[in-house]
């Protein structure tokens, strides 16, 4: 497992660049699981990574509330 922190205005683009540089086998990301309307209006870093990177992306959402 390799972890890298990058700062950028475009999180999705920075994530894809780092993944390419380190030849990542998979990208793992946490999501906030916002609703469809919020995601459509605001966009989503995770959604951008899935669309832009040519690598598998594992998205991990919050634990369900009981």
């Amino acid at each position: 497992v390799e972890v890298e922190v990058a700062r950028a205005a475009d999180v999705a683009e920075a994530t894809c660049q780092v993944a390419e540089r380190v030849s990542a086998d998979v990208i793992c990301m946490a999501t906030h699981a916002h609703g469809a309307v919020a995601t459509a209006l605001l966009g989503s870093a995770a959604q951008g990574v899935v669309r832009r990177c040519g690598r598998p992306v594992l998205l991990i959402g919050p634990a369900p509330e009981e």
Side-chain angles (χ1 to χ4, degrees):
V1 174
E2 189 170 325
V3 177
E4 185 159 337
V5 176
R7 293 178 188 227
D10 186 338
V11 175
E13 182 62 29
T15 301
C16 293
Q17 288 175 358
V18 170
E20 181 69 27
R21 188 175 70 242
V22 302
S23 299
D25 294 322
V26 64
I27 300 167
C28 299
M29 297 183 71
T31 68
H32 295 291
H34 293 299
V37 173
T39 300
L41 293 174
L42 303 173
S44 162
Q47 187 176 45
V49 170
V50 169
R51 288 183 176 170
R52 295 182 196 176
C53 294
R55 299 178 185 279
V57 180
L58 173 64
L59 301 176
I60 303 166
E65 295 182 26
E66 293 184 21

